[in-house]
Structure formats: structure tokens, C-alpha cells
Amino acid sequence: MSFSNPVYDGGFADPQVIAVGDEYYAFATNGPLGNVQTLTSRDLVSWEVVGDALPSLPDWTAPGRVWAPEVAVHAADRYVMYYTSRDVAAGRQAVGVAVASTPTGPYVDKSIKPLISQADEGGSIDASPFQDSSGRRWLYWKNDGNAIGVDTWIYVSELSADGLTLAGPVRRMIKQDLPWEGALVEAPYMVERDEKFHLFYSGNAFDKAAYAVGHALCESPTGPCVKSGDPILASSPDAAGPGHNMVLGDWFVYHAWDPDQVGTDPKGRTMWLSRLTWDGDTPVVQPPLARNPLDP
């Protein structure tokens, strides 16, 4: 009744996992497996390589900076992926959307321009879809303000029913304003629990041990939100700079560095699991443990 972290020891930054039937599928930033690295598992611990879920990119972008893919399940034969890639015309990162009929793809983006491209705010990255208990779909993302020395905001907009367009006003939710967050907040992930909304996010520089996960309690999918304060997941002796998390039931999925090679490890950030419990409206997350005594 235990397992070893990282659960995937290859470079697998910005992981997201979906459950389809009795299978799990994990997606991550570009790396050795392709534009959107893809794995599959039956237990969240032992992972098998699938390959590249987004082998072809639309004309508005180019390979090399395909980041932070996340997939929303719409039906047994419809999966919608939001991903970050370079808006070549604007010279900044932007958010694209692609569709597939199976979890592993291939996902296809037929667009002639990005879904979101805030070039005047540094770009747009880290899109994360969320469906609330009423069935409404939302998309969260970050303006890449730290790329040009301006504030970083977590944004939200309602999505169309098919998930392919923004269908409501674009709202700002939170920005960097706590000491531990440094120059930025990013990597939003929303969870609904007991009619309340929990926004998880990462702060500080991704290639530093100070990178960590924060939490804010929100009144609705669009806010307002109140931050919990200190990080709920931070570096431990076993792993450094944990961040870009998502929630799957009672488990936190995230990436982290080898503590002896933060920001320089040729392998990069690997995929980790920590148990998530709750103290009222406060999430409690295990620190990164190389040997976790629990079992997913």
C-alpha cells in the first residue's frame, strides 16, 4: 500500500490527467514524445508511453513551445484540448484549441488564429477548462505578463457549449500580490466542492525551488476569490519547485524538479502525486514524498 514518486521519471512538465472508463490519460508540455506528450495508466502509478496527441500544428504557430495542454471530456467520442503555443504573427505565446474523437488523439486544430492572444499583456498561457455542477463550461488562463514585466492575472471566460469559443465577458480574478508568489501567478485549476469553488494556482519562477502551489476560495466560477495565504504545496527534501497542479479525486497531480538540479536537470520536471484532504474549506496536500505510504 505505497508507491514511489515521481510516477513518471521522464520530462513531463505541466501535467494534466483525465479519467475515461478504467483508463487514465496524461498530457504534458512538449518534450521527447512530441508536441503534446501523452501517457496512459490504469492505476496513476505505472505509466505507458502513447506518444504525441497533437502531431500537427495550425499555421498560426510552430513547434518548440507547445505548453500546458489540458483536455475537457465532452462525450465518449469528443475531447477538446486547450494548449499554449507561439503566435508567430504576434511574437508571443497564445492559447489554441483542438478536437479529437479519442482521448489520445490525434487532436486537430483547424483554426487560422489562436483562441486567445493577449500580445499587449505579454501573451496568454496555461488554459484550463472547467465544467461546473450546472453544466456551464469555463476557461481559465494567465496573461504572460512576466514576459514583458507587467502584472500577471488569472483570467476567466465562459465557453460555448462546444468548447471552441469564448461565450462571455473576460474577467480578471487574481494576480501576484503575496511575497511567496514573486513576479507571477499562473497555472490555474478550478474545483467545485460543496457548492464552493476552489482556485488552485502556482506562483514564483518555474525554475526555482520557491515555485509552489497556492489556493483561493471563490464565491462563483468567476470570483470574487480570497487567497489562503501561504502555499499549500512547496518544496520538500525529496522534490523542489512543485507546481502546475491539477486535482483528480483525492490526488494532486503536479510536476517537480530533482532538488539537486533545480532548473538545470537535463531530464526536466517529472510527474508526482500527493494525497489531497480537506479541513473544512482548506485543502491539505501532502508534501512531495519520494516514498508515499498511501495508494491511489
Side-chain angles (χ1 to χ4, degrees), residues 6-249:
V7 292
Y8 183 71
D9 198 29
F12 206 72
D14 310 324
Q16 189 230 7
V17 178
I18 62 171
V20 179
D22 57 1
E23 293 277 352
Y24 297 103
Y25 299 90
F27 308 93
T29 282
N30 58 245
L33 304 181
N35 292 320
V36 171
Q37 302 190 90
T38 310
L39 310 173
T40 187
S41 173
R42 286 182 173 267
D43 61 6
L44 294 179
V45 172
S46 299
W47 291 91
E48 297 180 1
V49 169
V50 174
D52 188 352
L54 189 66
S56 297
L57 298 172
D59 290 343
W60 58 263
T61 189
R65 301 183 69 177
V66 183
W67 300 347
E70 293 200 13
V71 171
V73 179
H74 281 243
D77 61 351
R78 190 166 189 276
Y79 302 85
V80 181
M81 174 185 288
Y82 304 89
Y83 66 97
T84 300
S85 196
R86 190 75 166 175
D87 182 347
V88 174
R92 297 290 177 191
Q93 293 291 88
V95 172
V97 58
V99 179
S101 59
T102 67
T104 56
Y107 288 80
V108 176
D109 183 349
K110 297 181 179 180
S111 64
I112 60 173
K113 63 180 182 179
L115 175 65
I116 306 166
S117 183
Q118 298 164 299
D120 58 343
E121 295 187 53
S124 307
I125 70 171
D126 293 352
S128 181
F130 165 67
Q131 183 175 3
D132 67 26
S133 57
S134 73
R136 296 170 73 181
R137 293 183 182 271
W138 306 87
L139 191 68
Y140 301 84
W141 71 92
K142 166 215 176 179
N143 76 288
D144 203 19
N146 51 292
I148 60 172
V150 302
D151 284 337
T152 59
W153 286 91
I154 301 301
Y155 281 90
V156 62
S157 176
E158 189 167 2
L159 284 163
S160 58
D162 64 7
L164 300 183
T165 59
L166 302 184
V170 173
R171 298 180 173 93
R172 287 176 166 179
M173 297 185 72
I174 62 169
K175 70 172 186 175
Q176 78 289 350
D177 56 14
L178 297 176
W180 73 265
E181 297 165 348
L184 64 91
V185 292
E186 60 187 15
Y189 192 86
M190 182 65 82
V191 171
E192 183 177 359
R193 179 177 180 270
D194 297 337
E195 301 182 345
K196 296 180 181 178
F197 298 87
H198 300 267
L199 178 64
F200 298 93
Y201 66 95
S202 298
N204 218 294
F206 80 94
D207 57 353
K208 305 297 182 184
Y211 197 64
V213 175
H215 164 264
L217 181 62
C218 305
E219 293 182 14
S220 77
T222 61
C225 303
V226 177
K227 293 180 181 178
S228 296
D230 292 337
I232 60 169
L233 180 69
S235 293
S236 75
D238 291 341
H244 206 111
N245 84 284
M246 57 86 57
V247 176
L248 191 66

Side-chain angles (χ1 to χ4, degrees), residues 248-273:
L248 191 66
D250 296 330
W251 291 92
F252 239 49
V253 183
Y254 57 96
H255 68 225
W257 295 95
D258 179 329
D260 295 325
Q261 302 185 77
V262 180
T264 63
D265 185 354
K267 180 172 51 184
R269 291 157 286 174
T270 55
M271 184 165 60
W272 288 62
L273 293 179

